[in-house]
Amino acid sequence: QDEQYYYFLTTEGISSTDKTSGDTKLVLKRGSAWKTGGGLIAYIGNLYLLDKSDGKIYKFVPAGDTFEKSDYLTGTPLGTGKVTDLAINGSVWVLKDGKIYEFNKGNRQSFSVSGLSKPFLNPTKIFTNVDSDNLYVLDNGNSRIVVLDKNGAYKTEYQASILKNAKDLDVFESDKIIYVLSSGNVYQINI
């Protein structure tokens, strides 16, 4: 979402819903623009889309009533493998094959995770935004949410059996709350 719209992926493309009027419209037809959408983020007026099928990140810049598409990553795309999610806070963070990759202006940055008591096992979601000091990783295989600082250092984790089947999370650091979607229910974790 941005200040005016909620954005979401459908089988037809990217749609937006106006926060004030509630009107929904298709803003970008899928066509051949991407194969398998794996994450959509609105950031500073642009839309970023992770294509799971080819490991590319597309940047869509508003141009009147439409969007112009470009490849966000410079050089080689992320390639094949299990690309699962992305998050943006100035840097673009990608979760692929159980590892976290950081990109800035399309270029891969040096990033590694340190201090984990056990390695990630099937992590599916990564969360951060401009208001967050940390990275949050939904590690379904270990039924936990791992909190890392932006340098990759382990800070803490939250474990619960409901996290094994969780599909998504949203974090409000200032309110000290994590919301988790699991088995059709929304759960709250106090941080």
Side-chain angles (χ1 to χ4, degrees):
Q1 65 178 307
D2 59 23
E3 291 182 12
Q4 189 175 358
Y5 298 102
Y6 298 106
Y7 295 95
F8 50 97
L9 284 169
T10 69
T11 55
E12 296 171 1
I14 298 173
S15 294
S16 69
T17 299
D18 188 292
K19 290 181 177 181
T20 305
S21 70
D23 293 337
T24 298
K25 66 179 180 178
L26 185 66
V27 295
L28 186 63
K29 287 187 180 184
R30 181 176 170 191
S32 62
W34 66 88
K35 296 176 187 171
T36 308
L40 175 67
I41 304 281
Y43 184 74
I44 309 181
N46 302 316
L47 299 177
Y48 294 80
L49 176 84
L50 172 65
D51 191 335
K52 286 181 168 183
S53 64
D54 61 10
K56 290 186 177 182
I57 298 173
Y58 297 109
K59 180 179 179 180
F60 297 96
V61 178
D65 291 339
T66 186
F67 288 84
E68 292 183 6
K69 173 184 156 187
S70 64
D71 287 339
Y72 171 74
L73 299 176
T74 58
T76 309
L78 291 165
T80 60
K82 189 175 180 184
V83 182
T84 53
D85 199 25
L86 83 155
I88 299 177
N89 70 337
S91 289
V92 173
W93 303 87
V94 176
L95 191 56
K96 178 184 182 262
D97 294 328
K99 295 180 182 174
I100 300 169
Y101 296 86
E102 179 186 7
F103 296 89
N104 194 320
K105 297 182 181 175
N107 296 303
R108 186 171 167 190
Q109 305 298 300
S110 175
F111 181 83
S112 61
V113 174
S114 63
L116 286 179
S117 59
K118 54 186 166 183
F120 291 126
L121 179 63
N122 191 32
T124 56
K125 292 289 181 182
I126 185 168
F127 177 90
T128 193
N129 62 26
V130 294
D131 298 322
S132 298
D133 293 329
N134 301 300
L135 297 170
Y136 297 80
V137 180
L138 177 58
D139 183 13
N140 297 90
N142 289 311
S143 300
R144 66 183 179 173
I145 295 172
V146 174
V147 183
L148 307 168
D149 70 18
K150 301 276 175 80
N151 295 313
Y154 172 87
K155 292 184 78 174
T156 193
E157 64 186 59
Y158 302 93
Q159 291 191 311
S161 59
I162 58 109
L163 297 175
K164 183 151 195 81
N165 297 315
K167 300 291 183 202
D168 209 349
L169 77 158
D170 202 354
V171 181
F172 297 87
E173 280 186 341
S174 61
D175 296 331
K176 301 188 181 302
I177 296 173
I178 301 172
Y179 291 104
V180 177
L181 176 64
S182 181
S183 302
N185 296 306
V186 176
Y187 296 89
Q188 177 179 318
I189 299 172
N190 296 320
I191 55 177

